[in-house]
Amino acid sequence: MNETSNISFDNTETAFAAKSDKQLKKAHFLFSIMGKPWLVKMGLKLTPLAIRWHLPFTKPVIRNTIFQQFVGGETLEQTAPVAAKLMQYNVQVILDYGVEGKEGEENFEHAREEFKRVIEYASTQPNIPFMSVKMTGFARFALLEKLDSIMSSLSGSLMKRYLTAVDKLSAEEKEEWHRVRLRVMQVCECGAAKNVGVFIDAEETWIQEPLDALTMLMMDTFNKEKAVVFNTLQLYRHDRLQFLKDSFEAAEERKFILGAKLVRGAYMEKERKRAAEMNYPSPIQPDKESCDKDYNEAVKFCVQHLDKISLIVASHNEYSNLYTTQLLDEKGLPHNHPHVHFSQLYGMSDNITFNLAKAGCSVSKYLPFGPIKDVIPYLMRRAQENSSVSGQTGRELGLIKKEIKRRGV
Ligand SMILES: Cc1cc2nc3c(=O)[nH]c(=O)nc-3n(C[C@H](O)[C@H](O)[C@H](O)COP(=O)(O)OP(=O)(O)OC[C@H]3O[C@@H](n4cnc5c(N)ncnc54)[C@H](O)[C@@H]3O)c2cc1C
């Protein structure tokens, strides 16, 4: 499976070329720890408490371990050396202002300014073509939840349900939603003006409907000539392959380029738990195999329509990445086709990123930044992902060990 398309993900010399011996050993230590689920479970419980209680050792410990592995820095400026290092290996960067879970109009306004600042900065850099946004950074979670719940109770197209749902809000809520739309619009406008792509992250299913609708509206506005705005589709949901096809139909009808960032999804356990607790059918696929099948089908659908879809393969799955390059080969398209981009999270799957870059693919690292206390939810998801995904930590650790042995350090 690893040798198709003349690309191999087994070359650890290429994979870890950017890492010093010391960094490699640190990564070895960290992935060994994350391989122990009981330790991760304990860490997930204790870390938020330690942060809340301002325990003096907490921040230095986090900064020197998991933060350093998965985050670019505490400020935008601190990401510069990381981006410069990645550029040496033809790896691009997607900047992510990783602050999560902050509510209140003041914080939302601040987030909008921060995102615009990220775009301005990215536009001056040679290897930062995209940035990513979480709409929960701009909107009250409860308002999104309300809109979602109204939309889900209606039938008809996404847009029709969205417009009806907004209409059902109170006058005050309508004004609040208007401010959300303005914030999103201003960020996308800035992205379009500065030629920096804007990825809208996918979040929990119980707020996703208004996120999808607003993102479609943004694509309709800004993606007429080229893809500026990208929606994220979580293929761990059993309805997303159909949603991709529906989105494509809407894009064809409205004559815009569909920006499609494909992920499997980061909230599986939370989704299943909520569905069980509230007694509704789980939105998640019955098993990993079905999730993989839909993911790869979605990739295939996008590659079949590359003239009208701009695809981001956002995955650490070796097969899905290779499969994309194979599909391009079959169609006689170059691996660096302008409508195909690969991306992995910073700190994970360097074997995929760096080997894709070496093979001439357009590939990036998704690089979050932000103050330690504000990126804790992101770090928690990474710790959880690396301990719960079967084989993930084992694979990372195996590759790191192989490279340590090769270097003889
Ligand atoms: C650039 C980038 C951007 C991202 N943006 C987002 C985003 O906006 N929103 C978001 O939610 N996530 C996002 N992610 C995170 C992403 O969802 C996880 O990293 C991803 O799910 C891990 O899957 P994988 O494709 O790397 O492959 P794998 O490691 O092969 O798959 C693991 C994933 O498969 C799914 N899965 C595992 N077991 C089962 C099962 N039994 N049944 C059904 N499904 C199962 C889960 O989604 C799990 O995370 C992003 C990732 C990247 C690389």
Coordinates of all heavy atoms in Angstrom, one line a residue, residues 204-289:
E204 N -19.2 20.6 16.6 CA -20.1 19.6 17.0 C -21.4 19.6 16.1 O -21.8 20.7 15.7 CB -20.5 19.9 18.5 CG -19.4 19.6 19.5 CD -18.5 20.9 19.7 OE1 -18.6 21.8 18.9 OE2 -17.8 20.9 20.7
T205 N -22.0 18.4 15.9 CA -23.2 18.3 15.0 C -24.3 19.2 15.5 O -25.1 19.7 14.7 CB -23.7 16.9 15.0 OG1 -23.8 16.3 16.3 CG2 -22.9 16.0 14.1
W206 N -24.4 19.5 16.8 CA -25.6 20.2 17.3 C -25.4 21.7 17.1 O -26.3 22.5 17.5 CB -25.9 19.8 18.7 CG -24.8 19.9 19.8 CD1 -24.6 20.9 20.6 CD2 -23.8 18.9 20.1 NE1 -23.5 20.7 21.4 CE2 -23.0 19.4 21.1 CE3 -23.5 17.7 19.5 CZ2 -22.0 18.7 21.6 CZ3 -22.5 17.0 20.1 CH2 -21.7 17.5 21.1
I207 N -24.3 22.2 16.5 CA -24.3 23.6 16.0 C -23.9 23.7 14.6 O -23.7 24.8 14.0 CB -23.2 24.4 16.9 CG1 -21.8 23.8 16.8 CG2 -23.7 24.5 18.3 CD1 -20.7 24.7 17.2
Q208 N -23.7 22.6 13.9 CA -23.1 22.6 12.6 C -24.0 23.1 11.5 O -23.5 23.7 10.5 CB -22.7 21.1 12.2 CG -21.8 21.0 11.0 CD -20.5 21.8 11.1 OE1 -19.8 21.8 12.1 NE2 -20.1 22.5 10.0
E209 N -25.3 23.0 11.6 CA -26.2 23.5 10.5 C -26.0 25.0 10.2 O -25.8 25.3 9.0 CB -27.7 23.2 10.9 CG -28.0 21.7 10.8 CD -28.8 21.4 9.6 OE1 -28.2 21.2 8.5 OE2 -30.0 21.3 9.6
P210 N -26.1 25.9 11.1 CA -25.9 27.3 10.8 C -24.5 27.5 10.3 O -24.3 28.4 9.4 CB -26.2 28.1 12.1 CG -26.1 27.0 13.2 CD -26.5 25.7 12.6
L211 N -23.5 26.8 10.8 CA -22.1 26.9 10.3 C -22.0 26.6 8.8 O -21.4 27.3 8.0 CB -21.2 26.0 11.1 CG -20.5 26.5 12.3 CD1 -21.4 27.2 13.3 CD2 -19.7 25.4 13.1
D212 N -22.7 25.5 8.4 CA -22.7 25.1 7.0 C -23.4 26.1 6.2 O -22.9 26.5 5.1 CB -23.4 23.7 6.9 CG -22.6 22.6 7.4 OD1 -21.4 22.7 7.4 OD2 -23.2 21.6 7.8
A213 N -24.5 26.6 6.7 CA -25.3 27.6 5.9 C -24.5 28.9 5.6 O -24.4 29.4 4.5 CB -26.6 27.9 6.5
L214 N -23.9 29.4 6.7 CA -23.1 30.6 6.6 C -21.9 30.4 5.7 O -21.6 31.3 4.9 CB -22.7 31.1 8.1 CG -22.3 32.5 8.2 CD1 -23.2 33.5 7.6 CD2 -22.3 32.8 9.7
T215 N -21.3 29.3 5.8 CA -20.1 29.0 5.0 C -20.5 28.9 3.5 O -19.8 29.5 2.7 CB -19.4 27.7 5.4 OG1 -19.2 27.8 6.8 CG2 -18.1 27.5 4.7
M216 N -21.7 28.3 3.2 CA -22.1 28.3 1.9 C -22.4 29.7 1.3 O -22.0 30.0 0.2 CB -23.5 27.5 1.8 CG -23.3 26.0 1.9 SD -22.3 25.2 0.6 CE -23.6 24.8 -0.5
L217 N -22.9 30.5 2.2 CA -23.2 31.9 1.7 C -21.9 32.6 1.4 O -21.7 33.4 0.5 CB -23.9 32.7 2.8 CG -25.4 32.4 3.0 CD1 -26.0 33.1 4.2 CD2 -26.2 32.8 1.7
M218 N -20.9 32.4 2.3 CA -19.5 33.0 2.1 C -18.9 32.5 0.8 O -18.3 33.2 0.0 CB -18.6 32.7 3.2 CG -19.0 33.3 4.5 SD -19.2 35.1 4.4 CE -20.8 35.4 5.1
M219 N -19.1 31.2 0.5 CA -18.5 30.6 -0.7 C -19.2 31.2 -1.9 O -18.6 31.5 -3.0 CB -18.6 29.1 -0.7 CG -17.7 28.4 0.2 SD -17.4 26.7 0.0 CE -18.9 26.0 0.7
D220 N -20.5 31.4 -1.8 CA -21.3 32.0 -2.9 C -20.8 33.4 -3.2 O -20.8 33.9 -4.3 CB -22.8 32.0 -2.5 CG -23.7 32.3 -3.6 OD1 -23.2 32.4 -4.8 OD2 -24.9 32.5 -3.4
T221 N -20.4 34.1 -2.1 CA -19.9 35.5 -2.3 C -18.5 35.6 -2.8 O -18.1 36.4 -3.7 CB -20.0 36.2 -1.0 OG1 -21.3 36.1 -0.4 CG2 -19.7 37.7 -1.1
F222 N -17.6 34.7 -2.2 CA -16.1 34.9 -2.5 C -15.5 33.9 -3.4 O -14.3 34.1 -3.7 CB -15.4 35.0 -1.1 CG -15.8 36.1 -0.3 CD1 -16.6 36.0 0.8 CD2 -15.4 37.4 -0.6 CE1 -17.0 37.0 1.6 CE2 -15.8 38.5 0.2 CZ -16.6 38.3 1.3
N223 N -16.2 32.9 -3.8 CA -15.5 31.8 -4.5 C -15.9 31.8 -6.0 O -15.9 30.8 -6.7 CB -15.9 30.4 -3.9 CG -15.2 30.2 -2.6 OD1 -14.7 31.1 -2.0 ND2 -15.2 28.9 -2.2
K224 N -16.3 32.9 -6.5 CA -16.7 33.0 -7.9 C -15.6 32.7 -8.9 O -15.7 31.9 -9.8 CB -17.4 34.3 -8.3 CG -18.7 34.6 -7.5 CD -19.8 33.7 -7.9 CE -21.1 34.1 -7.2 NZ -22.1 33.1 -7.2
E225 N -14.4 33.3 -8.6 CA -13.3 33.1 -9.5 C -12.3 32.0 -9.1 O -11.8 31.3 -9.9 CB -12.5 34.5 -9.6 CG -13.3 35.7 -10.0 CD -13.7 35.7 -11.4 OE1 -12.9 35.2 -12.2 OE2 -14.8 36.1 -11.7
K226 N -12.1 32.0 -7.8 CA -11.2 31.0 -7.2 C -11.7 30.6 -5.8 O -12.5 31.4 -5.2 CB -9.8 31.5 -7.1 CG -9.6 32.7 -6.3 CD -8.1 33.1 -6.2 CE -7.4 32.2 -5.2 NZ -6.2 32.7 -4.7
A227 N -11.2 29.5 -5.2 CA -11.7 29.1 -3.9 C -11.0 30.0 -2.8 O -9.7 29.9 -2.7 CB -11.5 27.7 -3.7
V228 N -11.7 30.8 -2.1 CA -11.2 31.5 -1.0 C -11.7 30.9 0.3 O -10.9 30.7 1.2 CB -11.6 33.0 -1.1 CG1 -11.2 33.8 0.2 CG2 -11.1 33.7 -2.3
V229 N -12.9 30.6 0.3 CA -13.5 30.0 1.5 C -13.7 28.5 1.4 O -14.2 28.0 0.3 CB -14.9 30.7 1.8 CG1 -15.5 30.2 3.1 CG2 -14.7 32.2 1.9
F230 N -13.4 27.8 2.4 CA -13.6 26.3 2.4 C -14.4 25.8 3.6 O -14.2 26.2 4.7 CB -12.2 25.6 2.5 CG -11.3 25.9 1.4 CD1 -10.7 27.1 1.2 CD2 -11.0 24.8 0.5 CE1 -9.8 27.3 0.1 CE2 -10.2 25.0 -0.6 CZ -9.6 26.3 -0.8
N231 N -15.4 25.0 3.3 CA -16.1 24.3 4.4 C -15.4 23.0 4.8 O -14.6 22.5 4.0 CB -17.6 24.0 3.9 CG -18.5 23.8 5.1 OD1 -18.1 24.0 6.3 ND2 -19.7 23.3 4.9
T232 N -15.6 22.6 6.0 CA -15.0 21.3 6.4 C -16.1 20.3 6.6 O -17.2 20.5 7.1 CB -14.3 21.5 7.8 OG1 -13.4 22.6 7.7 CG2 -13.7 20.3 8.3
L233 N -15.8 19.1 6.0 CA -16.8 18.0 6.1 C -16.2 16.9 6.9 O -15.1 16.4 6.6 CB -17.2 17.5 4.6 CG -18.0 18.5 3.8 CD1 -17.1 19.5 3.1 CD2 -18.9 17.7 2.9
Q234 N -17.0 16.4 7.9 CA -16.5 15.4 8.8 C -17.1 14.0 8.3 O -18.2 13.8 8.5 CB -16.9 15.6 10.2 CG -16.4 16.9 10.8 CD -17.2 17.4 12.0 OE1 -18.5 17.4 11.9 NE2 -16.6 17.8 13.1
L235 N -16.2 13.2 7.7 CA -16.7 12.0 7.1 C -17.0 10.9 8.2 O -17.4 9.8 7.8 CB -15.8 11.5 6.0 CG -16.0 12.1 4.6 CD1 -17.5 12.0 4.1 CD2 -15.6 13.6 4.6
Y236 N -16.7 11.2 9.4 CA -17.2 10.2 10.5 C -18.7 10.3 10.7 O -19.3 9.5 11.3 CB -16.4 10.3 11.8 CG -16.5 11.6 12.7 CD1 -17.5 12.6 12.4 CD2 -15.7 11.7 13.8 CE1 -17.6 13.7 13.2 CE2 -15.9 12.8 14.6 CZ -16.8 13.8 14.4 OH -16.9 14.9 15.2
R237 N -19.3 11.3 10.0 CA -20.7 11.4 10.0 C -21.3 10.6 8.9 O -20.8 10.7 7.7 CB -21.1 12.9 9.9 CG -20.9 13.7 11.2 CD -21.3 15.1 11.0 NE -22.7 15.3 10.6 CZ -23.4 16.4 10.6 NH1 -22.7 17.5 10.8 NH2 -24.6 16.5 10.2
H238 N -22.4 9.9 9.1 CA -22.9 9.1 8.0 C -23.6 9.9 6.9 O -23.9 9.3 5.9 CB -23.7 7.9 8.5 CG -24.8 8.3 9.4 ND1 -25.9 9.1 9.0 CD2 -25.0 8.2 10.7 CE1 -26.7 9.3 10.0 NE2 -26.2 8.8 11.1
D239 N -23.9 11.2 7.2 CA -24.6 11.9 6.2 C -23.8 12.9 5.4 O -24.3 13.6 4.6 CB -25.7 12.8 6.9 CG -25.1 13.8 7.9 OD1 -23.9 13.8 8.1 OD2 -25.9 14.6 8.4
R240 N -22.5 12.8 5.6 CA -21.6 13.9 4.9 C -21.3 13.6 3.5 O -21.0 14.6 2.7 CB -20.4 14.1 5.8 CG -20.6 14.8 7.1 CD -21.1 16.2 7.0 NE -22.5 16.3 7.1 CZ -23.2 17.5 7.2 NH1 -22.5 18.6 7.3 NH2 -24.5 17.6 7.3
L241 N -21.2 12.4 3.0 CA -20.9 12.1 1.6 C -22.1 12.7 0.8 O -21.8 13.4 -0.2 CB -20.8 10.6 1.4 CG -20.4 10.2 0.0 CD1 -19.1 10.9 -0.4 CD2 -20.2 8.7 -0.1
Q242 N -23.3 12.5 1.3 CA -24.5 13.1 0.6 C -24.4 14.6 0.6 O -24.7 15.3 -0.3 CB -25.8 12.5 1.2 CG -27.0 12.9 0.4 CD -26.9 12.5 -1.1 OE1 -26.6 11.4 -1.4 NE2 -27.2 13.5 -2.0
F243 N -24.0 15.1 1.8 CA -23.9 16.6 2.0 C -22.9 17.2 1.0 O -23.1 18.3 0.4 CB -23.5 16.9 3.4 CG -23.3 18.4 3.7 CD1 -24.4 19.3 3.6 CD2 -22.1 18.9 3.9 CE1 -24.3 20.6 3.8 CE2 -21.9 20.3 4.1 CZ -23.0 21.1 4.1
L244 N -21.8 16.4 0.8 CA -20.8 16.9 -0.2 C -21.5 17.0 -1.6 O -21.3 18.0 -2.3 CB -19.6 15.9 -0.2 CG -18.6 16.1 -1.4 CD1 -17.8 17.5 -1.2 CD2 -17.6 15.0 -1.4
K245 N -22.2 16.0 -1.9 CA -22.9 16.0 -3.3 C -23.9 17.1 -3.4 O -24.0 17.8 -4.4 CB -23.5 14.6 -3.5 CG -22.4 13.6 -3.7 CD -23.0 12.2 -3.8 CE -21.8 11.2 -3.9 NZ -22.3 9.8 -3.9
D246 N -24.6 17.3 -2.3 CA -25.6 18.4 -2.3 C -24.9 19.8 -2.4 O -25.4 20.7 -3.1 CB -26.5 18.4 -1.0 CG -27.3 17.1 -0.9 OD1 -27.5 16.5 -1.9 OD2 -27.8 16.8 0.2
S247 N -23.8 19.9 -1.7 CA -23.1 21.2 -1.7 C -22.6 21.5 -3.1 O -22.6 22.6 -3.6 CB -21.9 21.2 -0.7 OG -22.3 20.9 0.6
F248 N -22.1 20.4 -3.7 CA -21.6 20.5 -5.1 C -22.7 21.0 -6.0 O -22.5 21.9 -6.9 CB -21.0 19.2 -5.6 CG -20.5 19.2 -7.0 CD1 -19.5 20.1 -7.3 CD2 -21.1 18.4 -8.0 CE1 -19.0 20.1 -8.7 CE2 -20.6 18.5 -9.3 CZ -19.6 19.3 -9.6
E249 N -23.9 20.4 -5.9 CA -25.0 20.8 -6.7 C -25.4 22.2 -6.5 O -25.6 23.0 -7.5 CB -26.2 19.9 -6.3 CG -27.1 19.5 -7.4 CD -28.3 18.6 -6.9 OE1 -28.0 17.5 -6.7 OE2 -29.4 19.2 -6.8
A250 N -25.3 22.7 -5.3 CA -25.6 24.1 -5.0 C -24.6 25.0 -5.6 O -24.9 26.0 -6.2 CB -25.7 24.3 -3.5
A251 N -23.3 24.5 -5.5 CA -22.2 25.3 -6.1 C -22.4 25.4 -7.6 O -22.1 26.5 -8.2 CB -20.9 24.7 -5.7
E252 N -22.8 24.3 -8.2 CA -23.0 24.4 -9.7 C -24.1 25.3 -10.1 O -24.0 26.1 -11.0 CB -23.3 23.0 -10.2 CG -22.1 22.1 -10.3 CD -22.3 21.1 -11.4 OE1 -23.3 20.3 -11.3 OE2 -21.5 21.0 -12.4
E253 N -25.2 25.2 -9.3 CA -26.3 26.1 -9.5 C -26.0 27.6 -9.4 O -26.4 28.4 -10.2 CB -27.4 25.7 -8.6 CG -28.8 26.0 -9.0 CD -29.8 25.5 -8.0 OE1 -29.9 24.3 -7.8 OE2 -30.5 26.3 -7.4
R254 N -25.2 27.8 -8.3 CA -25.0 29.3 -8.0 C -23.6 29.7 -8.6 O -23.2 30.8 -8.4 CB -24.8 29.4 -6.5 CG -26.1 29.1 -5.7 CD -27.1 30.3 -5.8 NE -26.5 31.5 -5.5 CZ -27.0 32.7 -5.8 NH1 -28.2 32.8 -6.4 NH2 -26.4 33.8 -5.5
K255 N -23.0 28.8 -9.4 CA -21.8 29.1 -10.1 C -20.6 29.6 -9.2 O -20.1 30.7 -9.4 CB -22.0 30.1 -11.2 CG -23.0 29.5 -12.3 CD -22.9 30.3 -13.6 CE -23.8 29.7 -14.7 NZ -24.6 28.5 -14.4
F256 N -20.3 28.8 -8.2 CA -19.1 29.2 -7.4 C -18.3 27.9 -7.2 O -18.8 26.8 -7.4 CB -19.5 29.8 -6.0 CG -20.2 29.0 -5.1 CD1 -19.6 28.1 -4.2 CD2 -21.6 29.1 -4.9 CE1 -20.3 27.3 -3.3 CE2 -22.3 28.3 -4.0 CZ -21.7 27.4 -3.2
I257 N -17.0 28.1 -6.9 CA -16.2 26.9 -6.7 C -16.4 26.4 -5.2 O -16.3 27.2 -4.3 CB -14.7 27.3 -6.9 CG1 -14.5 27.7 -8.4 CG2 -13.7 26.2 -6.6 CD1 -13.2 28.4 -8.7
L258 N -16.6 25.1 -5.1 CA -16.8 24.6 -3.8 C -15.4 24.3 -3.1 O -14.6 23.6 -3.7 CB -17.6 23.3 -3.9 CG -17.9 22.5 -2.6 CD1 -18.9 23.3 -1.8 CD2 -18.4 21.1 -2.9
G259 N -15.2 24.9 -2.0 CA -14.0 24.6 -1.2 C -14.3 23.5 -0.2 O -15.2 23.7 0.6
A260 N -13.7 22.4 -0.4 CA -14.0 21.2 0.5 C -12.8 20.7 1.2 O -11.9 20.1 0.6 CB -14.7 20.1 -0.4
K261 N -12.8 20.9 2.5 CA -11.7 20.4 3.3 C -12.3 19.1 4.0 O -13.3 19.1 4.7 CB -11.3 21.4 4.4 CG -10.4 20.9 5.4 CD -10.1 22.0 6.4 CE -9.9 21.5 7.8 NZ -10.5 22.4 8.8
L262 N -11.7 18.0 3.6 CA -12.2 16.7 4.1 C -11.5 16.2 5.4 O -10.2 16.1 5.3 CB -12.1 15.6 3.0 CG -12.8 15.9 1.7 CD1 -12.7 14.7 0.7 CD2 -14.3 16.3 1.9
V263 N -12.2 16.0 6.4 CA -11.6 15.4 7.7 C -12.4 14.2 8.1 O -13.5 14.0 7.6 CB -11.5 16.4 8.8 CG1 -10.8 17.7 8.4 CG2 -12.9 16.8 9.3
R264 N -11.9 13.4 9.0 CA -12.7 12.3 9.5 C -13.6 12.9 10.7 O -14.7 12.7 10.7 CB -11.8 11.1 9.9 CG -11.5 10.3 8.7 CD -10.6 9.1 9.1 NE -10.5 8.1 7.9 CZ -9.7 8.3 6.9 NH1 -8.9 9.4 6.8 NH2 -9.6 7.4 5.9
G265 N -12.9 13.7 11.5 CA -13.7 14.3 12.6 C -13.1 14.1 14.0 O -12.6 13.0 14.3
A266 N -13.1 15.1 14.8 CA -12.4 15.1 16.0 C -13.2 14.9 17.3 O -12.7 14.9 18.4 CB -11.6 16.4 16.2
Y267 N -14.6 14.8 17.2 CA -15.4 14.8 18.4 C -16.2 13.5 18.5 O -17.3 13.5 19.1 CB -16.4 16.0 18.3 CG -15.7 17.4 18.1 CD1 -15.6 17.9 16.8 CD2 -15.2 18.1 19.1 CE1 -15.0 19.1 16.5 CE2 -14.6 19.3 18.9 CZ -14.5 19.8 17.6 OH -13.9 21.0 17.3
M268 N -15.6 12.4 18.0 CA -16.4 11.2 18.0 C -17.0 10.7 19.3 O -18.2 10.5 19.4 CB -15.6 10.1 17.4 CG -16.3 8.8 17.2 SD -15.3 7.6 16.3 CE -14.2 7.1 17.6
E269 N -16.1 10.7 20.3 CA -16.6 10.2 21.6 C -17.7 11.1 22.2 O -18.7 10.6 22.7 CB -15.4 10.1 22.6 CG -14.6 8.8 22.2 CD -13.1 8.8 22.7 OE1 -12.8 9.5 23.7 OE2 -12.3 8.1 22.1
K270 N -17.4 12.4 22.1 CA -18.4 13.4 22.6 C -19.8 13.2 21.9 O -20.8 13.3 22.5 CB -17.8 14.8 22.3 CG -18.3 15.9 23.1 CD -17.4 17.1 22.7 CE -18.0 18.4 23.2 NZ -17.2 19.6 22.8
E271 N -19.7 13.1 20.6 CA -20.9 12.9 19.8 C -21.7 11.7 20.2 O -22.9 11.7 20.4 CB -20.6 12.8 18.3 CG -20.0 14.0 17.6 CD -21.1 15.1 17.3 OE1 -22.3 14.8 17.5 OE2 -20.7 16.2 16.9
R272 N -21.0 10.6 20.3 CA -21.7 9.3 20.7 C -22.3 9.4 22.1 O -23.4 8.9 22.3 CB -20.7 8.1 20.6 CG -20.4 7.7 19.2 CD -19.6 6.4 19.2 NE -19.5 5.9 17.8 CZ -18.5 5.2 17.4 NH1 -17.4 5.1 18.1 NH2 -18.5 4.7 16.1
K273 N -21.5 10.0 23.0 CA -22.0 10.1 24.4 C -23.3 10.9 24.4 O -24.2 10.5 25.1 CB -20.9 10.8 25.2 CG -21.1 10.8 26.7 CD -19.8 11.1 27.4 CE -20.0 11.3 28.9 NZ -20.1 12.7 29.3
R274 N -23.3 12.1 23.7 CA -24.4 13.0 23.8 C -25.7 12.2 23.2 O -26.8 12.3 23.7 CB -24.2 14.2 23.0 CG -25.3 15.3 23.1 CD -24.9 16.5 22.3 NE -25.8 17.7 22.6 CZ -26.8 18.0 21.8 NH1 -27.1 17.3 20.8 NH2 -27.5 19.1 22.1
A275 N -25.4 11.6 22.1 CA -26.5 10.9 21.4 C -27.1 9.8 22.3 O -28.3 9.7 22.4 CB -26.1 10.3 20.1
A276 N -26.2 9.1 23.0 CA -26.7 8.0 23.9 C -27.5 8.7 25.1 O -28.6 8.2 25.5 CB -25.6 7.2 24.4
E277 N -26.9 9.7 25.7 CA -27.5 10.4 26.8 C -28.9 11.0 26.5 O -29.8 11.0 27.3 CB -26.6 11.5 27.4 CG -25.5 10.9 28.3 CD -24.4 12.0 28.6 OE1 -24.6 13.2 28.3 OE2 -23.4 11.6 29.2
M278 N -29.0 11.6 25.3 CA -30.2 12.3 24.9 C -31.1 11.4 24.1 O -32.1 11.9 23.6 CB -29.9 13.6 24.3 CG -29.1 14.5 25.2 SD -28.6 16.1 24.5 CE -30.1 16.9 24.1
N279 N -30.7 10.2 23.9 CA -31.5 9.2 23.2 C -32.0 9.6 21.8 O -33.1 9.6 21.5 CB -32.8 8.9 24.1 CG -33.4 7.6 23.8 OD1 -32.8 6.7 23.2 ND2 -34.7 7.5 24.1
Y280 N -31.0 10.0 21.0 CA -31.3 10.1 19.6 C -30.2 9.3 18.8 O -29.2 9.0 19.3 CB -31.3 11.6 19.2 CG -30.0 12.4 19.4 CD1 -29.0 12.4 18.4 CD2 -29.8 13.1 20.5 CE1 -27.8 13.1 18.6 CE2 -28.6 13.8 20.7 CZ -27.6 13.8 19.7 OH -26.4 14.5 19.9
P281 N -30.5 9.0 17.5 CA -29.6 8.1 16.8 C -28.2 8.8 16.6 O -28.2 10.0 16.3 CB -30.2 7.9 15.4 CG -31.6 8.4 15.6 CD -31.7 9.3 16.7
S282 N -27.1 8.1 16.8 CA -25.8 8.7 16.7 C -25.5 9.2 15.3 O -25.8 8.5 14.3 CB -24.7 7.7 17.1 OG -23.5 8.2 16.8
P283 N -25.0 10.4 15.1 CA -24.7 10.9 13.8 C -23.4 10.2 13.2 O -23.1 10.5 12.0 CB -24.5 12.4 14.0 CG -24.1 12.5 15.4 CD -24.7 11.4 16.2
I284 N -22.7 9.5 14.1 CA -21.4 8.9 13.7 C -21.6 7.5 13.0 O -22.5 6.8 13.3 CB -20.6 8.7 14.9 CG1 -20.4 10.0 15.7 CG2 -19.2 8.1 14.6 CD1 -19.7 11.2 14.9
Q285 N -20.7 7.3 12.0 CA -20.7 6.0 11.3 C -20.7 4.8 12.2 O -20.1 4.9 13.3 CB -19.5 5.9 10.4 CG -19.3 7.1 9.5 CD -19.8 6.8 8.1 OE1 -20.6 5.9 7.9 NE2 -19.4 7.7 7.2
P286 N -21.2 3.7 11.8 CA -21.2 2.6 12.7 C -19.8 2.0 13.1 O -19.6 1.5 14.2 CB -22.0 1.5 12.0 CG -22.0 1.9 10.5 CD -21.9 3.4 10.6
D287 N -18.9 2.2 12.2 CA -17.5 1.7 12.4 C -16.5 2.5 11.6 O -16.8 3.2 10.7 CB -17.4 0.2 12.2 CG -18.0 -0.2 10.8 OD1 -17.8 0.5 9.9 OD2 -18.8 -1.2 10.8
K288 N -15.2 2.2 11.9 CA -14.1 2.9 11.3 C -14.1 2.6 9.8 O -13.8 3.5 8.9 CB -12.8 2.5 11.9 CG -11.5 3.0 11.3 CD -11.3 4.5 11.7 CE -9.9 5.0 11.4 NZ -9.4 5.0 10.1
E289 N -14.4 1.4 9.4 CA -14.4 1.0 8.0 C -15.4 1.8 7.2 O -15.0 2.3 6.1 CB -14.8 -0.5 8.0 CG -14.3 -1.2 6.8 CD -14.8 -2.7 6.7 OE1 -15.5 -3.1 7.6 OE2 -14.5 -3.3 5.7

